Amino acid sequence: MTSPAALAKQHVEETQQVLREYILRTRPGGVKGYDHDALCDLLEVDDPSRVIFEQGRGRQAVVRVFPVNPLAKMRAITLEDLVMDENGCIRIGSYYDGEPLRMRVHDPETGNAQRIIIFGTTGAGKSRALQAFLAACKRNGIVVHLADLKGGQSVPEAKGNVATHVRTLNEAMGLLRAAVKKAEDRFNRYADMGRSGFLINNPDRLEYVVIDEANRLLEKGSPFRAEAARLIKELGRTGRSVGIGIVLAAQAGHLDELGGSDTLRAMLKEGEVILLRWSSQMMASLVGDGLLPSGEFLQPIPKILGRARRIQRWGTPVDRSAEKPNSQGMCYHLTSARPTSMARFFLIGSLAPHDGYDPEIRKLYGSNAPPGEALRLIFPPPKEGGADSDDDFEYDVDDEDDLERLPETPKTNTDRILDALADGPLSEQDLLATLDEDGGKEVKRGSIRTTISNLRREGKIAPKDASGLITLG
């Protein structure tokens, strides 16, 4: 049987043969930054996604020009990919040259669980990437406690396939408190046993707390920001050594948007950090946060692969109806041995939407019951006499209707504009009309224009063009 790694390599060799290859000798220390558009212009290539630049060790670099981007088509993920190997890794995709892209789920040498974060803008493929991880956990007997903070819509197929499944910010906090308590209990129990580390399935299972849309929990203005950052930090510090890991999937472009904790920053520098398509301002933030070495450069991941930049003569009709985002899943594994090599996740699920659960994703999970037992969510006791009690109360997941609900934080103008544009480009007048009907506070045209200008500088909204429409970057 042909292995998944061989299939990926065969795909590159047979369908994406290198058209041109240039081996470069660079100045000492390598190339610390370059203009990709200028390089494409020099090579007379009008589709930037066809040109791949990679800095090697020392003073060597390579530029490869392909007929089409070698990651434009990717095979479907297989059950064999999801099986954890002897190094505690699963195969999640392929680098542009066919080398398998792996994610470490367990470190057999230390026994540690991992700390994983997946960054990316809207539509970059975070949810599908997370589905692969969740399915792999179930297939390998790893217990998962999931908070899907998009109301359960981000990874809907996970419901019934994980031990714990929650959907609100309040429930996510109850889950984090329960996970930290479980980690502390294991820590104390292992100390009494004279054990210094975690042994998988002896007697405890490997477990993961997964927070999807973690930016909603940790961003400025969240009522749980400080406590959530502290709990995640504690899981990253104590939990991993007792077999309880943490996974965050977020749209944040800066760690300050994920709690701003120095300990959290250090935790992620040592974990598995995967960056999908990003905004134009994220590069400096990654360097500043220490997730990308100073001077390193990542080739941009375009929203649309294969789109050539050509000047059209006045009055020449241009048909762009077939153009649509097609780079979902393209990424960089920043903490791997190849942090600046472009890669892509295997195809996960069906290409076309379904009226209900995606059958291909459900097949990845399998029909067996998920391993482990649901956590009993922990919530703070109600206030009595103006002061909190020192006692800890525990509530079952099914008791959510009895819990005190906190009001949702009002959306900012930035969030409202980005939400309005998620369904497609709008004129300024149509955008104002949409904002008037979204239930938020009334906004003035001048305020909207200022916010749009700021979003353009951040790369979240595309520059002005002849159409006059406002569109996501």
Side-chain angles (χ1 to χ4, degrees), residues 34-328:
Y34 75 101
D35 188 326
H36 189 73
D37 289 338
L39 175 62
C40 294
D41 186 52
L42 178 67
L43 297 170
E44 299 182 340
V45 176
D46 58 6
D47 175 7
S49 71
R50 291 173 48 208
V51 178
I52 304 290
F53 173 88
E54 185 170 10
Q55 174 70 52
R57 291 189 178 276
R59 300 181 59 183
Q60 274 200 331
V62 62
V63 176
R64 295 185 173 101
V65 184
F66 293 84
V68 295
N69 187 288
L71 296 171
K73 293 184 179 180
M74 189 58 59
R75 68 169 178 82
I77 198 166
T78 68
L79 295 182
E80 188 178 348
D81 293 320
L82 301 180
V83 176
M84 191 164 57
D85 64 21
E86 67 276 7
N87 296 312
C89 297
I90 58 172
R91 285 185 296 261
I92 55 175
S94 171
Y95 286 98
Y96 75 93
D97 57 4
E99 180 182 336
L101 174 65
R102 293 181 171 89
M103 176 190 289
R104 188 179 300 281
V105 179
H106 173 246
D107 187 342
E109 292 186 0
T110 64
N112 288 345
Q114 300 301 291
R115 300 167 300 196
I116 301 169
I117 185 166
I118 304 173
F119 281 118
T121 58
T122 301
K126 293 187 304 298
S127 296
R128 291 298 177 100
L130 198 58
Q131 293 273 28
F133 174 82
L134 296 174
C137 284
K138 185 181 179 186
R139 291 281 178 178
N140 288 282
I142 299 170
V143 182
V144 172
H145 309 291
L146 170 68
D148 182 346
L149 297 183
K150 200 176 178 180
Q153 292 183 325
S154 187
V155 284
E157 290 81 10
K159 187 175 182 181
N161 285 302
V162 293
T164 310
H165 184 277
V166 301
R167 303 188 301 182
T168 69
L169 295 180
N170 200 31
E171 291 170 334
M173 291 304 299
L175 187 154
L176 282 171
R177 296 184 193 107
V180 169
K181 183 178 185 300
K182 187 168 191 175
E184 291 172 347
D185 290 345
R186 279 192 183 184
F187 191 86
N188 293 328
R189 179 158 48 88
Y190 290 178
D192 293 340
M193 295 168 61
R195 179 182 290 183
S196 60
F198 175 72
L199 297 176
I200 191 168
N201 299 326
N202 183 19
D204 300 315
R205 290 181 183 267
L206 182 63
E207 302 194 20
Y208 274 96
V209 172
V210 180
I211 310 292
D212 192 18
E213 298 289 338
N215 46 290
R216 301 189 182 203
L217 191 66
L218 295 165
E219 64 191 358
K220 292 181 180 178
S222 167
F224 303 110
R225 174 181 167 93
E227 186 188 1
R230 177 180 61 79
L231 293 170
I232 290 172
K233 175 187 70 175
E234 190 60 36
L235 271 181
R237 185 172 59 185
T238 303
R240 66 168 185 151
S241 64
V242 294
I244 301 179
I246 178 76
V247 181
L248 304 178
Q251 294 185 33
H254 196 293
L255 285 188
D256 190 51
E257 299 173 44
L258 292 176
S261 164
D262 289 337
T263 306
L264 179 62
R265 182 176 290 108
M267 176 188 89
L268 295 175
K269 283 170 64 177
E270 300 173 6
E272 300 272 310
V273 181
I274 294 177
L275 175 65
L276 293 115
R277 190 175 67 238
W278 66 90
S279 66
S280 60
Q281 298 298 312
M282 189 177 286
M283 185 67 64
S285 299
L286 288 168
V287 174
D289 289 327
L291 297 180
L292 188 67
S294 179
E296 292 285 5
F297 182 83
L298 299 182
Q299 180 177 327
I301 297 174
K303 191 171 185 178
I304 300 177
L305 297 176
R307 179 164 61 180
R309 297 165 302 174
R310 299 188 181 96
I311 299 298
Q312 303 290 331
R313 289 187 175 275
W314 181 264
T316 303
V318 180
D319 182 11
R320 301 193 185 279
S321 60
E323 290 188 352
K324 58 183 180 180
N326 59 356
S327 62
Q328 296 91 336

Side-chain angles (χ1 to χ4, degrees), residues 381-382 384 387-393:
E384 296 181 5
D388 286 341
S389 169
D390 291 330
D391 296 329
D392 286 336
F393 290 1

